[in-house]
Amino acid sequence: MPLYEGLGSGGEKTAVVIDLGESFTKCGFAGETGPRCIIPSEIKKPDIPKPIKVVQYNINTEELYSYLKEFIHMLYFRHLLVNPRDRRVVIVESVLCPSHFRETLTRVLFKYFEVPSVLFAPSHLMSLLTLGINSAVVLDCGYAESLVLPIYEGIPILSCWGALPLGGKAIHKELENQLLEQCSVDTGVAKGQRLPSVMGSVPEDIVEDIKVRTCFVSDLQCGLKIQAAKFNMDGSAERPSPPPDVDYPLDGEKILHVVGSIRDSVVEILFEQDNEEKSVATLILDALIECPIDTRKQLAENLVVIGGTAMLPGFLHRLMAEIRYLVDKPKYKEALATKTFRIHTPPAKPNCVAWLGGAIFGALQDILGSRSVSKEYYSQTGRIPDWCCLNNPPLEMMFDVGKAPPPLMKRAFSTEK
């Protein structure tokens, strides 16, 4: 049960806040400083050996409905231990979340769990609530992609967003390939065996653990040398001296020797420019160029980086160095008048910033009451409106004049029955 339940809330129970990420889900209660649990966004079926990912966009609706139903049941009754009918729900979502996914999720919450109301909150906008600012360029480096979105005076500039498929998934794929190519394993039978002869593929949870425990982001000079050596055709470029090798125990009998050169080179995939000269750093600069010219200086001085991939050691330092290095290139030098860039430090770890913003927003009872979509509204219209910013028109504006609008969520301090 949340801390200080019922104090100053007009007797209404605090909302449940869920950040349904592609790799991990954060869930807890509004008004608290951190999520109650961070669990993998997956469910286990007895007849299927591998866990099933819940956040999938390319499966049919009924299959998705059953996965979400099982997963959210686990959240409520194994982790949060509360009755879903008693509490409103705040869902922190990406702006790229497809309509059919959010509609299926809404159907699960309203039809199956019978929650009183649902509010979909954009993760980029929520992250600004933790800092008390209303203009920033927000970069979300998650599992599947890196997504940048400028927000000016509380309104996302949706025409200036940018995304690349560079995130935890890309790093895991690169790391697994390099482990299978270069690393050896000591077993109880023999030493120095090639990894593919011991196991055909490395499970993703082990790959992630190796990434978290051993990998890091190099500084700019080292990174440029690593990239030069990687794409070197004539053999003239020399790689900087690698960090020490690491022994990683796979189980009681097998020990994996992680080559030092893998530890700092695998994350370079985020900063290598592809054929279109795109990288995580160029995403921010390209988004700034797309923004109106009078907003660029303020946005450049307010950068916010969220997402689990941003937690890699050295990531923020390298990102700033890359931006300062690229801003002197002809492509950006003329277009961007400013050379001052600052990154904010939110009051939470990067993977929980969006959730914390949702918890702050969910604690504002009066705003939550007027912004949420009620069960009555959903049962009459069968759809959920898009909330792109905090300045959207109220729900009444979306109906024909003269017709009685469906009931909104009653406010927290309302005396209506």
Side-chain angles (χ1 to χ4, degrees):
M1 189 168 287
L3 300 171
Y4 312 121
E5 176 93 279
L7 285 182
S9 64
E12 180 169 323
K13 293 182 177 177
T14 50
V16 169
V17 182
I18 302 171
D19 182 358
L20 200 60
E22 195 149 336
S23 183
F24 285 91
T25 291
K26 284 71 69 179
C27 71
F29 297 101
E32 296 195 350
T33 55
R36 287 295 179 96
C37 64
I38 301 176
I39 58 171
S41 301
E42 58 193 31
I43 54 171
K44 291 183 172 69
K45 296 275 189 185
D47 52 333
I48 301 171
K50 286 182 74 175
I52 300 168
K53 287 205 173 288
V54 173
V55 182
Q56 296 187 50
Y57 301 143
N58 55 354
I59 61 173
N60 69 61
T61 307
E62 289 313 309
E63 206 174 346
L64 180 63
Y65 182 89
S66 69
Y67 294 163
L68 286 170
K69 187 171 74 174
E70 189 173 330
F71 183 70
I72 291 169
H73 186 278
M74 182 175 70
L75 287 184
Y76 272 112
F77 299 109
R78 189 182 296 174
H79 297 285
L80 297 177
L81 305 176
V82 293
N83 184 350
R85 295 183 185 184
D86 294 346
R87 296 167 189 273
R88 302 177 183 184
V89 179
V90 177
I91 301 286
V92 180
E93 63 160 2
S94 165
V95 290
L96 291 187
C97 182
S99 296
H100 91 93
F101 183 84
R102 70 207 299 269
E103 283 163 9
T104 307
L105 179 57
T106 309
R107 190 154 61 94
V108 169
L109 290 168
F110 278 134
K111 300 288 187 188
Y112 189 80
F113 291 100
E114 297 183 356
V115 299
S117 76
V118 173
L119 170 67
F120 280 92
S123 57
H124 290 71
L125 200 57
M126 292 300 104
S127 60
L128 296 197
L129 287 181
T130 64
L131 292 159
I133 57 177
N134 54 13
S135 300
V137 175
V138 184
L139 171 67
D140 184 356
C141 281
Y143 174 73
E145 69 220 346
S146 291
L147 171 64
V148 72
L149 181 68
I151 295 169
Y152 192 73
E153 296 298 333
I155 300 176
I157 311 175
L158 292 172
S159 59
C160 303
W161 70 275
L164 285 174
L166 297 175
K169 194 175 184 179
I171 295 173
H172 293 173
K173 190 176 177 184
E174 178 76 8
L175 179 54
E176 185 183 3
N177 290 340
Q178 293 201 24
L179 289 172
L180 290 168
E181 280 175 22
Q182 301 179 35
C183 294
S184 60
V185 179
D186 290 351
T187 62
V189 181
K191 293 195 173 185
Q193 290 181 286
R194 304 303 301 166
L195 182 58
S197 66
V198 177
M199 51 202 305
S201 64
V202 188
E204 190 168 22
D205 56 338
I206 291 177
V207 174
E208 183 178 22
D209 198 47
I210 292 171
K211 176 192 77 173
V212 170
R213 290 175 186 273
T214 68
C215 296
F216 60 92
V217 186
S218 305
D219 62 24
L220 180 63
Q221 299 309 317
C222 275
L224 292 175
K225 286 177 184 173
I226 290 168
Q227 289 175 32
K230 181 178 176 182
F231 298 111
N232 185 27
M233 300 298 175
D234 54 3
S236 58
E238 194 174 322
R239 194 198 186 286
S241 57
D245 295 358
V246 172
D247 288 345
Y248 179 87
L250 290 170
D251 57 27
E253 295 181 347
K254 303 188 193 78
I255 294 178
L256 174 67
H257 299 294
V258 181
V259 181
S261 59
I262 293 177
R263 294 175 59 199
D264 61 351
S265 65
V266 74
V267 189
E268 290 301 314
I269 193 170
L270 300 178
F271 300 102
E272 291 167 2
Q273 293 197 8
D274 59 14
N275 296 336
E276 296 178 353
E277 296 186 342
K278 297 278 187 188
S279 71
V280 170
T282 64
L283 268 183
I284 292 175
L285 296 174
D286 290 340
L288 282 170
I289 288 174
E290 292 285 319
C291 291
I293 195 164
D294 56 333
T295 66
R296 292 176 194 170
K297 185 175 187 298
Q298 187 177 351
L299 291 172
E301 291 175 2
N302 292 281
L303 304 179
V304 179
V305 182
I306 63 174
T309 303
M311 294 172 72
L312 283 164
F315 180 88
L316 292 180
H317 182 271
R318 174 66 181 276
L319 183 66
M320 281 301 289
E322 286 276 344
I323 289 171
R324 290 187 177 125
Y325 171 71
L326 289 168
V327 83
D328 287 328
K329 297 280 182 81
K331 180 181 176 183
Y332 300 111
K333 196 170 186 178
E334 294 166 12
L336 284 174
T338 180
K339 285 192 178 180
T340 310
F341 293 88
R342 293 194 189 95
I343 293 183
H344 284 275
T345 307
K349 289 183 177 177
N351 63 332
C352 294
V353 173
W355 182 92
L356 181 60
I360 292 169
F361 195 68
L364 305 171
Q365 293 276 3
D366 213 28
I367 293 177
L368 184 67
S370 59
R371 286 282 165 193
S372 295
V373 175
S374 66
K375 192 161 62 174
E376 292 87 351
Y377 173 89
Y378 182 77
S379 62
Q380 287 193 25
T381 62
R383 62 192 179 83
I384 188 129
D386 244 331
W387 294 114
C388 294
C389 66
L390 299 180
N391 296 338
N392 264 324
L395 291 172
E396 296 99 323
M397 302 283 284
M398 302 165 67
F399 291 89
D400 300 334
V401 179
K403 284 188 182 177
L408 290 170
M409 187 66 208
K410 293 187 176 81
R411 291 172 181 269
F413 306 110
S414 171
T415 54
E416 297 173 58
K417 297 294 180 194

